[in-house]
Amino acid sequence: MTIGIDKIGFATSQYVLKLQDLATARGVDPDKFNKGLLLEEISIAPLTEDIVTLAASAGNSILTEEEKQEIDMVIVATESGIDQSKAAAVFVHGLLGIQPFARSFEIKEACYGATAALHYAKLHVENSPKSKVLVLASDIAKYGINAPGEPTQGSGSIAMLITQNPRILSFNDDNVAQTRNINDFWRPNYSTTPFVNGVYSTQQYLDCLETNWEEYKKRYNWTLDDFVAVCFHLPYPKLALKGFRKILDKSLSQEKQELLQQHFDASIIYSNRVGNIYTGSLFLGLLSLLENADTLKAGDKIALYSYGSGAVSEFFSVQLVEGYEQYLDKERAQVLDRRKPLTVEEYEKVFYEEANLNPSGSTQFTGYEDQEYALIEIVEHHRYYSKVEK
Ligand code: CAA
């Protein structure tokens, strides 16, 4: 049975911060962000936009009413959860009007979570071929004002519908995962921002890539020549470029090396304007490749490298299905163009904003008119979301 990604969509928050402005405010050469990290802009989310509203928007952008009645599992992968107990997937299930007899739950392992969710979704469809699973990778990356990771923040959600006979990409059943108990990036329950051993985290990202790739080649007997592209987890595109160069086989023909480079460049176009969306960022890279490369064709194999701090990594691949281009949005950059720019001062205000709860644990929010879905109020510690009427 062929199982894979039947549809893929994306949503990001309504504000954007230009890194040129951030560099000026922080007294840093703008080239450090643009050339050193390969980032131009980052998406910023206010309090009324969170992993639930972003996931609902991403899901709604790809689903028909019929599909909402067919989905029997909703998984939200995230490392910026809004509740220690209740899964974001339960809120999203309600907002999207998915039929009631579905399993909804959250999954976590830093930026790796969505890869685990895809694997679980695939096993579910294998067992129950008529099932459709909605996988949502939703995160808001907040490192802190003036933190080294500040220019790599971002927010967004990727939605993927996993089915049999998928219309975009099929899974190749060739996963190689690896676990290392390390402290490169983590966020204890009592902290709103992560603790980061920045340089160490980049070394681990690259070392896990190399070791996963060596093991993958041994197990599956495939080389880079079997792929037209490699997509990477994108904490910031420059790190992925280092990873790409690390595994690029110089014995490949010049033409093949150029094709892989061209496709790498296509895969970082969206992240360059969105920043890190943690668990969705690998799939934002995949979406960027599919929507911006013009030399892909059905049957092409694409390799994917997933990395979640802590750390779990995985190398696996997918294959393009005939007619895949009909299910993409070549005008997606317009979504990014529509975001409202913030000054650094406004961004800092949004960064520090907290729900101002009264003694009974309630508050109402305003200013969410331009959102598709919004957190509209908290009543006695219950979060209430709504689709915003236009
Ligand atoms: N012009 C051009 N380039 C410049 C420059 C200038 N004026 N100034 C600096 N640069 C270059 C540097 O040479 C460097 O490039 P190389 O890596 O190729 O040498 C790049 O800009 C970054 O400069 P620094 O290394 O000095 O930057 P930094 O120390 O301030 O911050 C970082 C780098 C530590 C990675 C920081 O961004 C960070 O902490 N990020 C968060 C952690 C992270 O993303 N880790 C990735 C792996 S973990 C993971 O993948 C999970 C996840 O999503 C978080």
Side-chain angles (χ1 to χ4, degrees), residues 29 31-32 35-37 79 111 143 148-149 151-152 184-185 196 198-199 201-202 205 233-236 238-239 242 276 278 307-309:
D29 181 351
D31 280 354
K32 175 171 176 182
K35 300 197 173 102
L37 302 175
E79 57 178 305
C111 305
Y143 284 90
T152 73
D184 60 332
F185 170 109
V196 189
V199 174
S201 73
T202 61
Y205 172 104
H233 167 50
L234 294 163
Y236 54 94
K238 179 69 172 294
L239 184 59
K242 287 185 187 180
N276 192 357
Y278 287 158
Y307 178 85
S309 289

Side-chain angles (χ1 to χ4, degrees), residues 89-157:
V90 174
F91 291 105
V92 179
H93 171 276
L95 282 170
L96 292 178
I98 308 283
Q99 62 86 20
F101 298 102
R103 282 193 189 101
S104 302
F105 57 95
E106 203 166 291
I107 205 164
K108 176 180 72 184
E109 172 23 48
C111 305
Y112 169 76
T115 301
L118 285 187
H119 197 60
Y120 190 72
K122 177 181 151 284
L123 295 176
H124 179 67
V125 175
E126 245 163 35
N127 258 334
S128 165
K130 286 192 178 148
S131 289
K132 296 188 179 202
V133 182
L134 180 62
V135 171
L136 300 151
S138 198
D139 267 309
I140 296 182
K142 278 178 99 168
Y143 284 90
I145 302 295
N146 252 317
E150 185 181 32
T152 73
Q153 298 175 133
S155 57
S157 183

Side-chain angles (χ1 to χ4, degrees), residues 55-106:
S57 290
N60 200 43
S61 74
I62 58 167
L63 298 177
T64 62
E65 288 309 311
E66 197 184 349
E67 283 160 345
K68 290 177 186 174
Q69 300 316 308
E70 292 167 338
I71 288 169
D72 67 353
M73 192 182 285
V74 181
I75 314 176
V76 171
T78 188
E79 57 178 305
S80 41
I82 41 112
D83 193 293
Q84 287 287 10
S85 180
K86 183 169 175 177
V90 174
F91 291 105
V92 179
H93 171 276
L95 282 170
L96 292 178
I98 308 283
Q99 62 86 20
F101 298 102
R103 282 193 189 101
S104 302
F105 57 95
E106 203 166 291

Side-chain angles (χ1 to χ4, degrees), residues 47 50 82-83 91 375 377-379 381-385:
L47 272 187
D50 65 12
I82 41 112
D83 193 293
F91 291 105
L375 172 65
E377 58 183 344
I378 299 177
V379 180
H381 303 288
H382 300 279
R383 295 169 84 85
Y384 286 95
Y385 293 91

Side-chain angles (χ1 to χ4, degrees), residues 12 40 67 72-73 168 224 244 265 295 304 307 312 350 376 382 384:
T12 190
E40 297 278 341
E67 283 160 345
D72 67 353
M73 192 182 285
I168 299 181
L224 217 48
F244 173 65
D265 294 343
T295 43
L304 296 134
Y307 178 85
V312 181
V350 168
I376 55 167
H382 300 279
Y384 286 95

